[in-house]
Amino acid sequence: MGNKILGIDLGTTNSAMAVFEGGNPTIIVNAEGDRTTPSVVGFRAGGDRIVGKAAKNQAVTNPKNTVFSIKRFMGRRYSEVASEIKTVPYEVHEGQGGRAVARIDGEDFTPEQVSAMILQKMKTDAEKYLGETVTDAVITVPAYF
């Protein structure tokens, strides 16, 4: 990507991305034309995945297969997230090593895996906007980490 480094704010509710252009930060719009992307991953029949606005829209009709607020489970054990589990319609289970994982159609996804799906969409959208491959990025870290 030359000297452009993509900045991504991986948010609990929404994510955003920017680059420096001409010495100034420029917010990159996503494929849908929005400045923010919902941090939501939807799982459909046949293994199809959607991310962002389309996933958020499916949450009404397919809540058990729509993962949002996944950052609330990141780096935490299943035994620590009882109150957070009550706020989401998808299944959260104890995964390998006692970690909290989202279970969709019998398959476990770690918070990192779901976050990677969101980041992949952000990267793809940034590459479309920039017209070049993104090889360098800076990703925000939650304040409490």
Side-chain angles (χ1 to χ4, degrees):
M1 191 168 119
N3 60 352
K4 289 185 182 174
I5 299 172
L6 181 65
I8 300 175
D9 175 12
L10 181 63
T12 302
T13 306
N14 292 295
S15 295
M17 55 191 162
V19 292
F20 269 101
E21 292 183 319
N24 294 309
T26 301
I27 300 292
I28 297 176
V29 296
N30 62 21
E32 296 77 31
D34 298 321
R35 293 167 55 98
T36 61
T37 299
S39 299
V40 181
V41 177
F43 296 84
R44 293 182 170 169
D48 187 31
R49 287 186 208 141
I50 52 175
V51 179
K53 187 185 257 183
K56 183 177 179 180
N57 290 342
Q58 88 149 14
V60 175
T61 58
N62 194 6
K64 287 206 166 284
N65 295 316
T66 305
V67 179
F68 59 91
S69 295
I70 196 66
K71 278 180 46 180
R72 297 187 191 286
F73 301 103
M74 193 173 289
R76 300 182 68 195
R77 301 180 78 65
Y78 179 77
S79 60
E80 301 172 325
V81 295
S83 62
E84 287 84 355
I85 289 172
K86 294 175 187 172
T87 67
V88 297
Y90 54 89
E91 293 182 39
V92 178
H93 289 269
E94 185 170 0
Q96 200 169 33
R99 300 179 64 206
V101 297
R103 183 167 292 162
I104 306 296
D105 287 332
E107 185 176 352
D108 289 348
F109 294 91
T110 66
E112 294 82 4
Q113 287 173 309
V114 175
S115 296
M117 295 170 197
I118 298 163
L119 291 170
Q120 181 60 55
K121 178 188 176 17
M122 304 295 285
K123 178 183 184 288
T124 300
D125 289 355
E127 289 175 341
K128 182 178 177 185
Y129 173 88
L130 296 167
E132 55 186 277
T133 302
V134 171
T135 59
D136 298 304
V138 175
I139 304 169
T140 58
V141 175
Y144 58 85
F145 267 41

